[in-house]
Amino acid sequence: MADTVTKPDLDDDDSELKRSITGGQLFFYTLGDVLGSGIYVLIGLVAAAVGGAFWIAFAAGVTVAAITGAAYAELVTKYPRAAGSSLYVQKAFGNKALTFLVTVSFLAASFAATGSLATGFASYFTELWSAPPALLVSLVFVALLVVVNYIGITESVVMNMLMTFVEVSGLVIIMVIGIWHVAEGQADFSTLGDISVSGNPALAVLAGVALSFFAMTGFENTANVAEETIDPYKAFPRSMVGGMVVAGIVYVLVSMAAALAVPTDQLADEDLGPALLQVVESGILPISTDFMTKLFTIIALVAITNTTLVTLVTQPRILYGMAREDVVPGVFARIHPVRRSPWVGLLFSGLVVAALLVTGYAVSAAGGGLDLVNRLATVTVVFLLAIYALVIVACLKLRGHDEDDRAFRANTPLLVLGLLGNLAILYYAVYDDPHSLWWCAGLLAVGGILFVAEKLFGSKGTGTRTPDLDETVKGA
């Protein structure tokens, strides 16, 4: 199948999507996707897994992610279309069942990520108002974002850039605190080499990588704007990999600053609040701690809101596309006649995320010892690592197909290393939290139920042509 595909003409004036995204905008789009709210939510868990040297976990994780990004960059320059990993797997293997599994897995990962981020939002929100229960805060947060999307949210690349600057400003504050602490001569640099956990240090770092990888995800969504990018052959390799490298440098510097400013055991203690907020509350800067705490909390809430909003934008659009292919019930292809939003898929997505949150809090209340942020982040990582590994295999398998001299070619040994890295992290994530597989199975079952419902009750063509959906949002 792959041999006979005709490469689309990038200069075709009849293209449905306008090519308006420049290389610079694409760089910030990638940076914003990767440099999202994951580090605001998970850094304490990584510190608990590794010790003071937890920056190594972020460095290793972003290296594997950047190599995977190179595979995406190669495939984008061969197939510059807004379909991402599902398209690449279909091109390489020609197996609709596998393509469906990849699509559902990506959707499931998005559900789990939204749940993890909503829980993280609640942990920061308590710094502003501690009265409401955390579950209520998480559910209201998700509901409000569903309403915003229903109204007809359109996340432009320019808006993504602006939100990226807000997110980065919070991380800059952490780095400034670390630099100030060093300048005062109070920093103990031996902390940065401390792997204080018991057992094998290599396994401790791998555990940290498995946790931190949640913060590395998001770059795969950049492929979804392929049809809207000016000269994707040049723009994607530079902007995608470059954005990930810059994000990795920021993550490492933030990790070092946090480790130098606050004792690792304190960062790892969730009862004391989010780890990065503890850095701000340390009082190192000669500025009102109360003011800095509120400022950083607001920045963190904005960062988490932005990331969660875009994941919620993505979910109903995946369902919309699947409905148009008669894979799930055609009702998911319905869009509101006035708001132009895929309201059925949006409502369904909100309910699935709400169910995840209620289930997680119920298990915790029953004494299950569940860390919901960690569990849902692990579920997200398990799904995405499997997809990343498949994309790298697809990249290698499609070598020699649909190529011309404009296509980018990733380094083969690096791709093999990236494949091994993804599989190693995937193995350890499952090994460290085998119960996450039950959550993965439950989310996959949702897709399976929709598929069966379409086969039993759907009618061919119910979702094949509906009024155009606003597709300017491509997920991040």
Side-chain angles (χ1 to χ4, degrees):
M1 179 184 296
D3 293 338
T4 60
V5 174
T6 302
K7 183 178 287 293
D9 185 358
L10 298 182
D11 299 320
D12 186 358
D13 292 334
D14 295 328
S15 175
E16 294 184 5
L17 300 174
K18 180 181 179 181
R19 294 192 178 278
S20 59
I21 301 175
T22 66
Q25 289 175 329
L26 189 66
F27 169 83
F28 282 104
Y29 190 76
T30 303
L31 183 63
D33 282 346
V34 179
L35 208 60
S37 55
I39 194 167
Y40 284 91
V41 175
L42 287 174
I43 192 169
L45 295 172
V46 181
V50 181
F54 64 90
W55 63 272
I56 298 175
F58 281 99
V62 81
T63 298
V64 175
I67 294 173
T68 307
Y72 272 88
E74 176 173 332
L75 289 167
V76 166
T77 59
K78 294 169 70 171
Y79 310 106
R81 306 176 196 172
S85 53
S86 297
L87 171 66
Y88 310 145
V89 170
Q90 178 62 26
K91 292 290 185 184
F93 303 102
N95 187 311
K96 290 187 177 180
L98 181 60
T99 302
F100 172 76
L101 181 61
V102 168
T103 305
V104 171
S105 295
F106 189 83
L107 180 63
S110 182
F111 287 147
T114 303
S116 182
L117 292 169
T119 307
F121 180 93
S123 69
Y124 275 100
F125 188 82
T126 56
E127 297 295 326
L128 299 179
W129 187 21
S130 59
L135 175 59
L136 178 61
V137 173
S138 298
L139 291 174
V140 170
F141 173 64
V142 172
L144 287 175
L145 292 185
V146 167
V147 171
V148 169
N149 275 300
Y150 166 76
I151 291 173
I153 184 66
T154 301
E155 279 283 298
S156 70
V157 174
V158 174
M159 180 59 71
N160 183 272
M161 289 172 60
L162 295 176
M163 297 302 291
T164 298
F165 292 143
V166 174
E167 294 170 358
V168 170
S169 68
L171 301 180
V172 169
I173 290 175
I174 301 300
M175 289 187 282
V176 169
I177 292 174
I179 293 171
W180 194 280
H181 195 54
V182 171
E184 288 184 328
Q186 301 297 317
D188 180 7
F189 287 96
S190 64
T191 301
L192 300 180
D194 176 34
I195 302 179
S196 57
V197 296
S198 59
N200 190 318
L203 290 180
V205 172
L206 187 58
V209 173
L211 286 168
S212 68
F213 211 82
F214 181 80
M216 315 299 170
T217 61
F219 65 89
E220 69 281 351
N221 291 306
T222 308
N224 290 330
V225 297
E227 292 184 49
E228 298 164 277
T229 301
I230 300 171
D231 195 1
Y233 298 110
K234 292 183 179 179
F236 264 90
R238 297 174 183 174
S239 300
M240 178 177 278
V241 179
M244 295 179 69
V245 170
V246 172
I249 293 173
V250 172
Y251 280 163
V252 169
L253 292 177
V254 168
S255 301
M256 288 181 170
L260 292 173
V262 178
T264 307
D265 57 348
Q266 183 176 330
L267 290 174
D269 191 345
E270 296 180 359
D271 293 334
L272 298 177
L276 291 186
L277 195 57
Q278 293 181 45
V279 178
V280 176
E281 294 173 339
S282 63
I284 292 174
L285 291 181
I287 305 175
S288 168
T289 302
D290 184 61
F291 168 77
M292 290 300 298
T293 298
K294 285 183 169 54
L295 174 63
F296 188 82
T297 299
I298 293 171
I299 290 173
L301 291 174
V302 169
I304 295 172
T305 299
N306 184 48
T307 304
T308 313
L309 175 63
V310 179
T311 61
L312 277 171
V313 167
T314 303
Q315 292 156 14
R317 282 157 175 78
I318 294 175
L319 288 166
Y320 172 88
M322 295 170 71
R324 289 176 57 138
E325 296 296 324
D326 293 313
V327 175
V328 298
V331 67
F332 289 107
R334 292 182 181 176
I335 62 175
H336 194 274
V338 178
R339 297 298 180 182
R340 315 302 297 165
S341 58
W343 66 275
V344 177
L346 184 57
L347 179 61
F348 178 80
S349 298
L351 290 174
V352 171
V353 174
L356 282 174
L357 292 170
V358 171
T359 300
Y361 278 97
V363 172
S364 297
L370 174 66
D371 183 334
L372 188 57
V373 171
N374 186 4
R375 173 60 54 78
L376 293 179
T378 299
V379 171
T380 304
V381 167
V382 167
F383 277 123
L384 291 181
L385 284 169
I387 293 173
Y388 293 165
L390 266 176
V391 167
I392 293 178
V393 172
C395 181
L396 294 171
K397 191 174 187 296
L398 289 168
R399 286 281 171 84
H401 302 294
D402 308 308
E403 294 179 351
D404 59 29
D405 56 2
R406 297 177 295 177
F408 171 74
R409 190 179 183 91
N411 181 275
T412 301
L414 279 182
L415 289 183
V416 174
L417 180 63
L419 175 60
L420 295 176
N422 278 297
L423 292 176
I425 301 169
L426 174 60
Y427 171 80
Y428 190 86
V430 173
Y431 170 80
D432 187 57
D433 187 8
H435 295 292
S436 64
L437 291 180
W438 289 105
W439 291 67
C440 291
L443 287 170
L444 287 177
V446 173
I449 291 171
L450 294 179
F451 178 79
V452 171
E454 167 62 19
K455 293 303 179 184
L456 292 178
F457 307 111
S459 58
K460 293 297 182 183
T462 54
T464 52
R465 273 322 307 174
T466 58
D468 289 338
L469 173 69
D470 177 11
E471 296 179 345
T472 58
V473 181
K474 294 303 175 184

